Amino acid sequence: MPKNPMNPLSGLDDAQRDAALAQGHALVLAGPGSGKTRLLTAKAQHLLSTRSGRLVAVSFTREAAKEIAARIGTEFRDRIKTGTFHALALQQIKDRRRILDESGRIHYLRMVLDRVGSDLSLDDALQAIDRFKATMAPPPRTGEESEIFRRYEAELKRHGLKDFQDILRDAVKGMQSGAARPLDAAYLLVDEAQDIDEVQYEWVMCHVRAGVETTVVADDDQSIYGWRHAMGYRGLAAFERSAKARRFLLNGNYRCGCEIVSAGLSVIRHNQDRYDKPIIARRAESGVISTRSFEDRLAEADAIVARIIAEPGEWGILARTNRMLDLVELAFNFHRQPFVRLGGKSFWDRPPAAAMLAFAEDLGRDDIGSGLSRLSSFVEGISAQDKRALHDGGEPENPGLRTLTRAAPEWASSAAQSHRASLVLRGLFNWVDKHFDDKPKAIALPAVGHLMKLHGTIGQRIAFVRRARELSPGSSDSPVPVLASLHASKGLEWQNVWLMGCEDGIVPHTDAPLNEERRLFYVGITRAKDRLILSHGLKDAVVSRFVDEMH
Ligand SMILES: Nc1ncnc2c1ncn2[C@@H]1O[C@H](COP(=O)(O)OP(=O)(O)OP(=O)(O)O)[C@@H](O)[C@H]1O
């Protein structure tokens, strides 16, 4: 139906219209590309224009909340409130204890860990606290984690503090005890509800119990935040049951060619505990899916960039982890092509890569200084005494570092000669390979390897890297390729999607639940409108089982 700006329901398909017109609590299941935002906006406008009362729309990010507010428009400004769960909850609680930021949390938690003499790492302790705070149930009475949790809570209380998670928990506890009131609204819309945790679920249910007509829009198959305690299907099923909500299905996919839609469905149907959704591709084009295999990650990255240069257009390059995108970034740098990297840091901002660049820069200037001392922190088994020696220009005891301090002056004198610069870098490469710890080595070697692929003196190569980094995406005529992890790709779409690293052990990742990995893969492949390329880049690897499941 063509869109009529005066009628919020125009431009909706039948399934969207049914969900928008529904009265009472509703669970709207919406597959990828089925128009969730269009439905939410239309439903809000329809409710506000035909019925009385105020409306609250809750989202997970400030950007999403702002987008919904902008789309609803200013006409009903006085009757709507949009925001994140925490921003809305903050308006409900009177307690004004100061909210701790992340560094404050770490400060108090470290203090507790020291006092208890715990072996738990800071990360594990933080995760345990987040886990306890993502549910309204009291933490277990025994065990080291609960002991740390109790002491951490006592510490915050003593200092008149609370952390971010407490905001929502306090609002829920307040609503349950009668000390806080539900938001003043007749209608509540919840976006991306597959991502709610148990506290957010309770917050929604407090409003349902208070008589607020609630619509929950979600796709359980795109629930990818289990590690942040998202309830996924379990939360949606609980809402449907407890609120006695009517279930609707947005069954159209307006984004992907039909081959891509059906490949996605074949994969996701291997999951249990989900709502089955017979999705219909609304586009006439079939879409093209192909697979590629490469000897190694470098060849895979080079092929990606070569293809994008040969066929410019809208491209999303996706990978299970941000780290896998580093080589693609380097290949773009090498070809002086602009790109955008979503969320993850640039390769050159990673400390081992930045240190290699600083050291090479020192060599290029014939001034071995701070670069050497930065680089030393990645050397296996370096002592504090050696670090001091390097800082003061002395001779370190560590044999690896001693070799380097002796070789460096000669390297520096060769660095300014184009024909010798490659030899210097080869020497540095071998040295890093021999003396770095494994983790930083995985970053430092590609950094030196990249400099080895370039031409000229070391100074010229460094200048090339810096210029490539400064290439602004805005300077290009065609759309700029986007590099994103699968998590960061959620909600986005491109004409062409290249999903790299499709190997068992990578996706599905060895350390993550299989069902959640499958959902992540499903999110990735349903970002593609016309063309989907899946590649693997490890010689002896087994191709991801999800690729087989597509047929
Ligand atoms: N009724 C419709 N008619 C035509 N196009 C539609 C309709 N509904 C949605 N679309 C289009 O479908 C595309 C996908 O919609 P949207 O981005 O809202 O998807 P989504 O449901 O949020 O997907 P995902 O969950 O995968 O991110 C948009 O370009 C949107 O304009």
Side-chain angles (χ1 to χ4, degrees), residues 1 11-14 16 30-39 71 192 219 222 250 253-255 489-493 523 526-527:
M1 187 189 282
L12 297 189
D13 64 26
D14 290 347
Q16 292 167 333
S34 62
K36 290 187 227 358
T37 319
R38 187 178 286 216
L39 164 77
R71 289 224 204 168
E192 304 277 7
D219 184 2
Q222 293 188 70
L250 305 192
N253 178 312
Y254 290 92
R255 173 184 300 141
S489 75
K490 176 122 191 298
L492 302 174
E493 57 181 29
V523 165
T526 55
R527 302 305 96 197

Side-chain angles (χ1 to χ4, degrees), residues 55-130:
L55 179 142
V56 170
V58 58
S59 304
F60 275 86
T61 61
R62 268 186 241 149
E63 296 72 44
K66 272 194 204 142
E67 193 192 334
I68 293 201
R71 289 224 204 168
I72 295 172
T74 51
E75 191 186 342
F76 305 105
R77 202 176 20 212
D78 302 336
R79 289 170 58 210
I80 60 167
K81 203 183 269 253
T82 58
T84 61
F85 279 98
H86 290 90
L88 294 169
L90 200 54
Q91 299 170 17
Q92 295 177 274
I93 48 178
K94 294 195 183 69
D95 157 32
R96 289 282 173 240
R97 279 179 296 159
R98 194 161 64 78
I99 301 163
L100 266 183
D101 61 14
E102 202 51 23
S103 62
R105 289 184 85 199
I106 289 173
H107 167 79
Y108 285 102
L109 192 54
R110 272 225 173 90
M111 207 156 85
V112 168
L113 287 173
D114 285 349
R115 265 191 215 148
V116 176
S118 169
D119 291 336
L120 219 58
S121 73
L122 184 70
D123 272 355
D124 287 346
L126 273 172
Q127 270 176 29
I129 287 179
D130 286 345

